[in-house]
Every structure is written in C-alpha cells, then in structure tokens.
Amino acid sequence: MPGNTSEFLIIGGGFAGTAIAYYLARAGSEVRLLEANRLGSGTSGACAGRAQVIDAHTEDYLDLLVAGFRYLSQLPQELDLDLEWELPGHLTLLRNAQEWQEYSACVERLRARDLPAEMLDRKSLQSLEPQLYTQDLLGASYSLEGHLNPFRFCLGFAHAARQAGAAIETGAAVTGWLQQHGHITGVQTAQASYSAGTVILACGAWSGQVLASLGIDFPMKFSHAEAVITEPLPRLIHHHIGMTGFYEVVHGQDQTVTLGLGQHPNGTLLISNAIEKSEQIDPRSSAWGMPAIARLFAERFPDLRRVRFLRTWSAPSPYLPDYLPALGWLPGYDNLFVTAGFHLAIPTIPLLSRQAAAWLVNGESPDWQSTFSPRRLFSPSCSGA
C-alpha cells in the first residue's frame, strides 16, 4: 500500500480530527484523515458554536478554558478565514439564593483571572434583555463568552490542513482493522486499505462503537440532544442566555429541557436543548422535543411566542464518566491514540490539539498528559496491557 501509507492516520472528520490534522500537517508530518460521511456531519456540525468559560468544574480546567479562549481570538488570522467570531457574553439566569451564591463564587473565579464577569439584579437583567421574562428570577450572572460558526470552524481546520499537505477523504468509513501483536498495521474501508505509523481515533460519540470493533470497551457516553432554529429576526437578543446546571442536566436527566439561546449574525435564534438519555445514536428528532422547547421558549420570551421555527435537528452529546477529555495512548496498543470526550469543546479543542500534535511529533509532554490519559478509564489490568 505504498500510496496509502502515512505517518499519521486520523479517523474522524469533526472538530477534533480536522484540528489535529492541521497541527500535525503544519509541523511537517505526513497526514491522512478518513471521515465516514461528510466533514462535520456528526456532533460538530450540530453544536451551537459557543465558547464559554463559566462552566468549568475545577480550577485547572478553568485555566485551560481561559488559555483556549484567548487562543481562539487569534485563530481566524491563523487559519486565514472568517469564523464569524463574536463576543456576545453569557447570562446565566438565577432563580434562588442558592444559585446566586454558587454563581457569585464563579464570577469571583473569573474576575481573579482578569476576565469580565459580574452579578446582575433583576432590574439590570431586564434592562439588558427586554424580551426576557424575569419576574420569577433573582437576576443573572454575566460572564465572558464567544461564539463562532461551527461549520466554518471545522471546515477551516480542514482547509488549512489540506493547505499544509494533509490528505482528507470523505465517505471513507473504516470497515476493518489490520493488526499484529498490539500494533495497528492498517485499516480497511470499502474503497481501499490504509496504513500508518500512528492511528489517531477522533470519532467523538462514535468512539465507543469504533473501538468495540477492536474489542475495546471504551466508556463513551452520550445523551440525545435536540435544538431548533427560527426564522431571521431583527436584533432582539443581545447575549447568550442559559439556565443554571446546564451540563448537569444535559448529562444527568432521563428527559428534560434546558434553555440555551442566542441570536446569530443572520438574525436566526438557535434554541436548545431537549435532552434525553440514550444508549444508541439516533439522528432523528423526537416527537416531544420540539414542542417542549417551544413551550419553554414561550414562557421565557412571551412576546416572541409566534416566531416561526424553521427546522429542528438532533445529535449525540458525548461525554466520559468523569467529564474530562481522553487524549493519549490506548492501553493494549502501541500506536493507537485517542482524542475524544471534550468538555466545552470550542475553547479546548484547538489548544489541546495543538499540544497533542507537539507531543506526537516532538515528544513534548503536555501538563495534562496523566490527567487526560485514556488509561484512567480502564481497570489496572487493562491499563497495564
């Protein structure tokens, strides 16, 4: 397979796959990426494009988010592409004293890092967002948040990777593995066979399915998430607006709706999320999801209740049991690297992918090497394989 051999073979063409392809190719490596469908056709193309920082669960992860957020501001110039990057800021709606106390601490964490953040009483909140129903709220926390076009984000990385020499093939689903003594010698698609020195798995929510074909029980979890988009409107919403405990709800409830709303530059409103637990990836929208989103939206924005919804979609929202990403070598194989399970993906993927590429190419071990190692997800006997 002389024509189908590369130094790095990446499986998956979402944010993570295209980003690491770019950084590896930019470093002068020979890179090939295989995507089963279209670039960004999975969760990456269904996300809201938010780059938020207030939802970090630990101080270390907050530091990572802050560094990633600051890196995002220079990414459009680096990729030579308009990513539609803007800074609307985020309003977390607060309903009781416990939430107020919790988010007051979050605001202080951000301010300690010189990031704009403040607590807003109900009157201030109503002034900032006149369309919002606030009578049942104490107020909100304001925090830094950016927004970009997720399609441009993914395709921008892919274009830059190609410009740097990477080969990218779509419609190339992996159908089989070639392996010998804990070493992946190649993969098979319907069209051809490919070999590489290192295989990088970047399949997001599909990681568990793909690794199961290798006999690896990778604990990738996901919920079924739905969102809707409206007809274009005049500028009515000035920030991204969300509820408390967004990620706890997304990953913890059997079936629920949690509000996340923002207005895009073209005037449309993206409204999410109807969430339910799922054991299988299902691309279809549910019968309950869009009506549930519509009811919550109408309650919170009563003057906009007659706005027309143009379309709805669904996607798996992936996560790992400890809500941390997995980046590193999989136990049992000497050349199988995984990058999956990103929490708060937009601000973390570019930075972590750049650092992972430096690790793979130059051996520059990142600070997070042990924290994010996939080995933590396996029993000691498996980790020692």
Side-chain angles (χ1 to χ4, degrees):
M1 297 180 290
N4 291 337
T5 299
S6 56
E7 188 177 357
F8 294 99
L9 178 64
I10 301 167
I11 302 172
F15 293 158
T18 55
I20 201 165
Y22 163 64
Y23 291 111
L24 288 170
R26 190 180 69 169
S29 300
E30 192 178 32
V31 179
R32 183 181 299 274
L33 183 150
L34 303 179
E35 161 56 39
N37 296 300
R38 303 178 309 278
L39 296 175
S41 58
T43 304
S44 294
C47 84
R50 296 176 55 202
Q52 67 271 50
V53 296
I54 202 169
D55 294 303
H57 294 302
T58 68
E59 296 299 318
D60 287 345
Y61 210 78
L62 178 55
D63 289 336
L64 174 66
L65 282 172
V66 171
F69 191 96
R70 288 172 173 157
Y71 179 45
L72 275 175
S73 65
Q74 70 187 57
L75 196 58
Q77 182 177 1
E78 182 177 323
L79 297 180
D80 192 25
L81 181 68
D82 178 12
L83 298 178
E84 298 179 5
W85 174 248
E86 55 182 0
L87 297 168
H90 180 66
L91 296 173
T92 304
L93 307 183
L94 305 174
R95 292 161 289 192
N96 54 54
Q98 180 179 346
E99 292 178 350
W100 186 274
Q101 182 177 10
E102 177 186 348
Y103 275 82
S104 293
C106 292
V107 163
E108 290 306 312
R109 292 167 70 199
L110 297 180
R111 290 168 68 92
R113 291 165 171 81
D114 296 322
L115 296 176
E118 61 180 309
M119 301 298 291
L120 303 169
D121 61 20
R122 184 165 63 86
K123 183 177 180 181
S124 300
L125 174 60
Q126 188 71 73
S127 174
L128 288 175
E129 292 292 349
Q131 298 290 337
L132 178 68
Y133 177 76
T134 63
Q135 294 304 308
D136 59 341
L137 302 174
L138 288 184
S141 67
Y142 168 82
S143 58
L144 182 67
E145 177 162 319
H147 184 274
L148 51 72
N149 183 319
F151 299 102
R152 285 175 172 260
F153 188 60
C154 185
L155 298 178
F157 272 124
H159 176 72
R162 284 189 174 109
Q163 291 292 102
I168 296 179
E169 300 183 27
T170 57
V174 171
T175 57
W177 300 86
L178 307 174
Q179 54 180 309
Q180 185 176 13
H181 306 304
H183 184 86
I184 304 296
T185 59
V187 302
Q188 182 73 46
T189 71
Q191 296 82 16
S193 297
Y194 303 87
S195 63
T198 297
V199 177
I200 300 173
L201 191 74
C203 297
W206 288 262
S207 298
Q209 292 182 11
V210 173
L211 287 171
S213 67
L214 272 172
I216 298 174
D217 185 14
F218 187 72
M220 177 58 72
K221 298 178 179 296
F222 47 85
S223 55
H224 180 81
E226 299 180 46
V228 300
I229 199 158
T230 73
E231 62 185 322
L233 301 168
R235 176 57 65 177
L236 297 171
I237 308 299
H238 307 287
H239 302 79
H240 189 275
I241 300 171
M243 309 295 287
T244 60
F246 180 85
Y247 285 94
E248 289 79 359
V249 171
V250 167
H251 299 150
Q253 301 290 327
D254 289 336
Q255 190 180 81
T256 191
V257 178
T258 178
L259 181 70
L261 177 142
Q263 188 164 16
H264 287 188
N266 67 356
T268 59
L269 302 180
L270 191 153
I271 312 168
S272 60
N273 268 299
I275 304 294
E276 60 184 330
K277 286 185 176 180
S278 179
E279 297 297 325
Q280 295 183 335
I281 295 175
D282 187 347
R284 299 170 298 180
S285 296
S286 67
W288 73 276
M290 189 165 66
I293 291 174
R295 284 192 297 270
L296 183 58
F297 174 69
E299 291 171 6
R300 195 52 66 187
F301 296 90
D303 289 344
L304 302 181
R305 62 185 179 276
R306 296 190 182 279
V307 167
R308 291 180 297 172
F309 290 174
L310 296 185
R311 63 186 178 96
T312 180
W313 67 93
S314 63
S317 177
Y319 60 99
L320 290 165
D322 57 5
Y323 303 110
L324 294 176
L327 288 100
W329 302 102
L330 276 168
Y333 290 88
D334 63 8
N335 69 331
L336 185 55
F337 192 95
V338 67
T339 171
F342 292 92
H343 177 51
L344 307 171
I346 298 291
T348 57
I349 282 180
L351 183 64
L352 291 177
S353 297
R354 185 181 69 177
Q355 294 171 348
W359 180 18
L360 288 165
V361 174
N362 304 317
E364 299 175 9
S365 298
D367 294 338
W368 43 259
Q369 179 179 350
S370 59
T371 304
F372 298 159
S373 171
R375 291 181 177 273
R376 76 185 191 278
L377 304 171
F378 297 88
S379 67
S381 60
C382 291
S383 296

